[in-house]
Amino acid sequence: MRAVDVILKKRSGQELGREELAFLVSGYVSGELPEYQVSAWLMAVCFRGMTARETADLTELMLRSGDVMNLAGIAGPFVDKHSTGGVGDKVSLVLAPMVAACGLRVPMMSGRALGHTGGTLDKLESIPGYRTDLDEAAFRAGLEAEGFAMTGQTARIVPADKKLYALRDVTGTVESVPLITASILSKKVAEGAEALVFDVKCGPGAFMKTREEARALADSLVRTGKAMGKRIVGVITDMTEPLGLKSGNFLEVEESLDCLEGRGPADLMELTYRLGAWMLVAGGVAEGVAEGEAACRAAIGSGAALRLFMANVRRQGGDAEKMLKLRGSYRSKHSFELRASRAGWLAGIEAYKIGVAGVYLGVGRDKTTDPVYPDVGFVFDKKVGDPVAAGERICAVYGKDGPSLAAARPLVEASLSYADSRPERRPIVLEEISAL
Ligand code: URA
């Protein structure tokens, strides 16, 4: 088989066979195929797409490129949630202990900040001492004791995605529904979950900007996951303004603690309860979403979710006492406040601009080798739809140094818009696709 023939076949819009996809995936992982040929094929996929059969084959071939987590001997049900990426999205930190308190096991393998979107691993690592490089034994121990564990992808889990993702990142081939589907699903199946809930973010602050794009990705994740024998739910959710009131790394840990104590912002809690409810339904421990939501609210109300989170922090090496001590004060000394330029109603906080400004501040990375900072980000006093007086504080902004603040300021200013009358609040959950 010649790589150039396979590239030409995809370039002309034809469906590739499983052997042809296997040739590309294994050839790239082993180093036999050069990056320029794999890049050409990826670009052809971006323009020509893949059939459902090709997407399922690619997902399975990527999954088989490495090991699968061995969860044998631990009682399930194993259910996980995955978000396609947003700004201020700290849902995982609250959701995992919440649904674990309701009887699920959550084998959570998370990622780092990507582009303008935040990463669960970076947030967790802002807790002093917290480790996200668990080996299988430590992962299993957390799952057995607290019902959940949160770790990063190891070198042996889906190595094909590690290589392909890095290549896609620098060749303009990230935004492709079949490639995203195979990338996400191969990792999620490898971590051992039996059922999965996908939070497909939609809007200017997400990778999928329109409802049509988000629906196409949700449909693809649901269809491909089902074909791999998993119970799947896709929830399309709004990513127009940042979720909650805090965006950053430790700042989001702080807000997660607020949520676990029952004092979380309304939009964040609504989404967390809905996704949690679907996880309980997918795991077979709730009959329907209403019952699931009631169980999730009880897990927060009783303090059970908070206790599990604190136990997880200690188990994964975090200094829980220091975390609580730093709460409310772990802020970079480089900061500015942004005040309302006029009276009226806050009509918009553009999540994409806040996400990009966050990268300047040190919340995320420009290059994969850049460090991220725990004590930077945004604290909002207002949400979209709130009334504001001229000069009233909208947010405080913390950066790694002076130049980062200077770079972020125009973006933060441009992210805000005002109206003369109260704008309608956007629903957070837009659409739900269940294949249970
Ligand atoms: N997240 C992933 O893990 N893979 C993608 O391709 C996009 C988002």
Side-chain angles (χ1 to χ4, degrees), residues 165 168 180 183-184 187:
Y165 198 88
R168 287 168 58 212
I180 295 177
S183 166
I184 291 177
K187 285 177 289 198

Side-chain angles (χ1 to χ4, degrees), residues 82-85 111-112 114 117 153 161 165 168 173-188 207-208 217:
H82 183 83
S83 153
T84 57
R112 298 200 175 274
L114 181 67
T117 66
Q153 188 186 353
D161 182 62
Y165 198 88
R168 287 168 58 212
T173 53
V174 170
E175 280 95 344
S176 151
V177 165
L179 296 179
I180 295 177
T181 301
S183 166
I184 291 177
L185 256 181
S186 58
K187 285 177 289 198
K188 290 286 127 182
F207 289 119
M208 299 290 125
L217 179 55

Side-chain angles (χ1 to χ4, degrees), residues 198-232:
F198 288 106
D199 177 3
V200 180
K201 299 280 183 212
C202 170
F207 289 119
M208 299 290 125
K209 308 286 182 208
T210 66
R211 186 72 83 84
E212 289 66 37
E213 288 170 344
R215 194 177 295 130
L217 179 55
D219 280 340
S220 174
L221 285 164
V222 169
R223 191 181 47 231
T224 312
K226 201 173 167 204
M228 299 184 82
K230 305 292 167 189
R231 294 193 296 283
I232 310 273

Side-chain angles (χ1 to χ4, degrees), residues 140-155:
R140 288 177 59 99
L143 271 174
E144 280 186 298
E146 282 79 47
F148 75 104
M150 298 191 275
T151 191
Q153 188 186 353
T154 67

